Amino acid sequence: MKTNEQPKEIPMYIFMGFLDSGKTKFANETLLDRSFNDGAKTLLLVCEEGEEEYDEKALNKNNIFIEYLDEDTLNTEKLLELSKKYEPEIVLMEYNGLWELDRLFNIRVPKGWTVVQVISFVNASTYDVYVNNMKKIIIDEIRNADMIIFNRCDENTTKSEYRKSIRAVNRRAQVIFENKDGTVDNGGDSIELPFDVESDRIELEEEDFGLFYIDAADNPDKYLGKTIKFKAMVHKPSNYKQNEFVPGRFAMTCCAADIAFIGFKCYYEGAKILKDRDWVMVEGTIDKEFYPEFEGEGPVIKATSVAMTDPAEEELVYFN
């Protein structure tokens, strides 16, 4: 007898980061907290062996079972085999930080396995070194993460600079800073803005767009109802309606080789005559709406005027 019953959803959590980034420590502490899986059978897939090891006996007592994978065994066939062997209700994967993420995302996982959260761990003391030497891999990790945890932070950690570099490539991720003693510290290092955010009308200098973008993305309610005026380049995504476009700028993100276009959706009745890469002066009111791709609300601009103008003196903007 055939049925149309859908496979049960099995939540899958992915931990990623380089060696000594704190993945295993975090996973150990999380898994041994029985409130995490509430006794549900959990399969932990480990793709690298770091300095800290898992206590398999303790994990087994919590109904958690470990399988180690390498580049040859991380494939669809192996995952299907493990799914049949364990019949897990929850799956966690500690992904090898040196492997490109395309390798993981191109694998067909067993039916029902659904990635619900991707967490990237970063050792704050080595972050700059990795950015300078392994740019593509670390940018990919940041871009695909739902949560980014900077650990081993101290008084020399430039939290605001790191937060700005993250926001340039990933607006939706939650960014957490953890001190060396394990306490969480997200305050005390806020962005210093070059414009008066308390004013009802904000006119941005050309070079200030990057900082406005970062702060407005993080704090959309702060800007609700304010009038904004700024110079920007036009981008018209193919799926946008005739009265929609994105006025924005190309920005230098967390490494010199990675340039991203940043901006917020703008509504304007005359947008249909605009073309990609036109330079315009935009004036309008800031509102907010839900962005499906960012899984949350973000700023939008309801323009009252959009006028053609000369290009900015510098095509790139920075976050300082």
Side-chain angles (χ1 to χ4, degrees):
M1 179 179 178
K2 293 183 178 180
T3 67
N4 293 322
E5 185 177 350
Q6 294 294 318
K8 181 181 178 181
E9 181 175 292
I10 299 167
M12 184 176 183
Y13 300 84
I14 298 174
F15 301 80
M16 57 188 181
F18 295 113
L19 279 172
D20 200 33
S21 63
K23 301 190 302 295
T24 305
K25 180 176 183 292
F26 180 88
N28 258 324
E29 293 173 350
T30 301
L31 291 169
L32 291 176
D33 178 358
R34 287 191 60 83
S35 64
F36 172 77
N37 68 346
D38 199 26
K41 182 180 281 190
T42 301
L43 174 59
L44 172 60
L45 304 173
V46 180
C47 300
E48 69 176 352
E49 295 187 50
E51 294 181 359
E52 185 161 341
E53 298 180 351
Y54 288 101
D55 185 340
E56 294 194 34
K57 289 184 179 180
L59 292 176
N60 289 165
K61 289 180 180 179
N62 275 11
N63 210 19
I64 300 165
F65 305 92
I66 298 180
E67 287 282 345
Y68 292 88
L69 304 175
D70 56 27
E71 290 187 85
D72 293 327
T73 55
L74 179 57
N75 54 53
T76 297
E77 291 72 21
K78 184 64 176 180
L79 296 184
L80 289 170
E81 174 191 320
L82 296 176
S83 180
K84 184 176 181 180
K85 176 181 178 180
Y86 291 101
E87 297 184 345
E89 298 171 87
I90 300 172
V91 177
L92 292 93
M93 176 180 284
E94 181 182 335
Y95 193 67
N96 191 314
L98 295 177
W99 297 352
E100 292 193 358
L101 284 174
D102 287 347
R103 176 185 182 83
L104 175 61
F105 295 146
N106 289 332
I107 293 175
R108 182 170 59 86
V109 299
K111 286 184 178 179
W113 289 23
T114 304
V115 176
V116 296
Q117 189 174 44
V118 178
I119 305 176
S120 179
F121 292 86
V122 181
N123 182 337
S125 65
T126 59
Y127 176 65
D128 291 330
V129 174
Y130 281 123
V131 166
N132 290 330
N133 294 282
M134 307 185 77
K135 297 171 184 174
K136 183 181 186 304
I137 293 178
I138 199 165
I139 288 294
D140 283 348
E141 287 192 5
I142 289 170
R143 184 174 284 126
N144 288 282
D146 301 301
M147 179 186 294
I148 300 162
I149 300 175
F150 284 86
N151 51 50
R152 299 175 179 83
C153 296
D154 59 23
E155 65 278 4
N156 296 315
T157 303
T158 54
K159 300 184 185 72
S160 64
E161 294 302 314
Y162 289 170
R163 185 183 287 111
K164 286 185 286 185
S165 69
I166 297 301
R167 284 288 173 261
V169 296
N170 186 337
R171 280 179 49 196
R172 63 184 171 80
Q174 181 182 4
V175 182
I176 296 173
F177 296 95
E178 186 179 274
N179 296 318
K180 288 182 176 180
D181 61 3
T183 59
V184 174
D185 178 14
N186 286 324
D189 199 8
S190 59
I191 299 173
E192 184 175 342
L193 299 172
F195 49 85
D196 183 7
V197 74
E198 299 299 326
S199 174
D200 291 334
R201 178 182 175 83
I202 300 172
E203 292 195 33
L204 299 179
E205 298 294 332
E206 291 182 5
E207 64 271 18
D208 295 339
F209 183 83
L211 289 178
F212 161 72
Y213 172 85
I214 295 295
D215 196 54
D218 273 350
N219 309 286
D221 289 343
K222 184 193 296 186
Y223 293 86
L224 279 180
K226 295 183 182 295
T227 298
I228 186 80
K229 184 176 181 180
F230 61 95
K231 179 179 287 190
M233 180 184 285
V234 171
H235 173 51
K236 303 190 74 175
S238 59
N239 62 328
Y240 272 29
K241 298 177 182 178
Q242 285 193 337
N243 69 327
E244 300 171 352
F245 75 105
V246 179
R249 299 287 299 274
F250 282 103
M252 184 82 72
T253 59
C254 59
C255 58
D258 201 76
I259 306 296
F261 187 84
I262 59 171
F264 300 121
K265 178 185 283 188
C266 180
Y267 294 96
Y268 181 62
E269 287 304 319
K272 61 183 178 181
I273 67 170
L274 301 175
K275 298 178 181 178
D276 276 331
R277 291 186 171 268
D278 280 346
W279 282 93
V280 291
M281 187 66 72
V282 177
E283 184 168 352
T285 304
I286 301 174
D287 202 344
K288 70 175 181 179
E289 67 179 38
F290 182 79
Y291 282 78
E293 61 269 37
F294 301 125
E295 302 174 4
E297 291 185 327
V300 295
I301 299 168
K302 296 182 176 178
T304 54
S305 70
V306 176
M308 303 297 291
T309 190
D310 295 328
E313 289 188 18
E314 295 285 343
E315 183 168 330
L316 290 179
V317 293
Y318 303 84
F319 299 101
N320 50 42

